[in-house]
Amino acid sequence: MRLNFASPNRDPNIAIDLGTALTRIASGNLNRMVVPSRIEGRPVVRSGAIMNVDAAVELLRPLLYRARKFGVLRPNAVACASSGADDEERETLRECIAKAGAATVVIVPEILAAAIGAGMDVSSHYAGMIVDIGEGITECAVIRSGRIIEAFSVRTGCSDLRHCVLETATSVAKRRIPEAEAERIMRESGIAGKKEPLRILFTGCPEGFASIPGEKMSEKIEPVLNRMTGAVRALLESLSPDLACEVIDSGICLSGGGALLRGMREHLERLTGIPVATPARPLDSVVAGAREMFPVMSILNRHMRQLH
């Protein structure tokens, strides 16, 4: 994925991860801001793509205003886009951030930022693999010598699992359950499933709860899980024997919200036969990695200024 330089004359000083569920901004001095990716309760991003430019600008404008130097100088931004995003989606992202108040915008690969933020040595001559399971996208890549060698993504993520849990629990309980309760059930049961019944809590109900068989929930989420992990299998199957051996030796790094799902790491290990590790703060991998890319962007910008 190419870097999109809006201007070679400014060095970046904020990183932006405009996610399906949450938007994270990190500055060069490590200050961070996290807000829901919603305006008046409506989502701004769906499956990694901006749904409405005006809503995205409204969401980002106060965040970028707070990132101004001395309250006056507009920030220069590094923003992350999925490797599966097309040119129009990347341009929409750049346009929204510019309209929201950024002086310049550089678009970088989200999966590369995730790898850096998760602590992978992306400069190594030995290939490593990163799997980033977000709210709306599951993305994976093999990285070597600072380059993405192979990448694969599907627009399926944690939100699809949650929706499946919500629909299944609603069907069994014969009443709509809150999204927060679906989140709790998903976190409690994980993706490995439970043999014992899952309790669905209600307010204003005489019993206070309903039960759903653990096996039924596992059966319902399996197709969604297969779409997510199918990206990992597709990428591994596309690798040359030499690259595959390097990945087997170096292992897989799992980041994003999916890394917090109980049983996900073990499931990927069983699926691939490769050891899987998770960073200490998997939710922050993308924005932290983008922030760590500031020195590289600065060097490239200085080089471009010399060429001009």
Side-chain angles (χ1 to χ4, degrees), residues 104-205:
T104 64
V105 184
V106 178
I107 306 298
V108 299
E110 183 175 305
I111 194 66
L112 180 59
I116 294 171
M120 285 179 58
D121 181 7
V122 299
S123 65
S124 173
H125 296 299
Y126 212 64
M129 183 170 175
I130 175 81
V131 177
D132 186 67
I133 302 177
E135 184 74 358
I137 292 182
T138 298
E139 189 169 8
C140 50
V142 171
I143 300 170
R144 183 170 63 186
S145 301
R147 293 194 311 113
I148 297 174
I149 306 300
E150 297 284 351
F152 198 93
S153 66
V154 292
R155 297 188 187 242
T156 303
C158 295
S159 63
D160 299 278
L161 283 175
R162 189 182 304 102
H163 179 75
C164 186
V165 169
L166 181 66
E167 292 300 312
T168 302
T170 297
S171 174
V172 171
K174 306 302 182 186
R175 68 182 72 192
R176 190 76 176 174
I177 68 170
E179 285 192 19
E181 179 62 8
E183 176 74 18
R184 185 195 67 79
I185 295 171
M186 185 174 73
R187 297 295 175 186
E188 180 183 308
S189 61
I191 59 95
K194 283 187 168 185
K195 292 184 179 179
E196 64 269 21
L198 299 169
R199 301 184 78 184
I200 309 169
L201 304 179
F202 294 102
T203 56
C205 174

Side-chain angles (χ1 to χ4, degrees), residues 272-303:
T272 64
I274 301 173
V276 177
T278 58
R281 300 179 64 176
L283 292 174
D284 292 334
S285 293
V286 172
V287 75
R291 194 200 66 80
E292 289 185 34
M293 295 171 78
F294 288 173
V296 176
M297 298 295 100
S298 298
I299 291 171
L300 290 175
N301 277 342
R302 285 195 290 272
H303 176 67

Side-chain angles (χ1 to χ4, degrees), residues 52-72:
N52 184 288
V53 171
D54 292 338
V57 171
E58 184 179 347
L59 173 72
L60 291 169
R61 182 175 286 124
L63 301 177
L64 268 65
Y65 184 83
R66 290 169 61 184
R68 289 188 176 197
K69 287 185 177 180
F70 314 114
V72 177

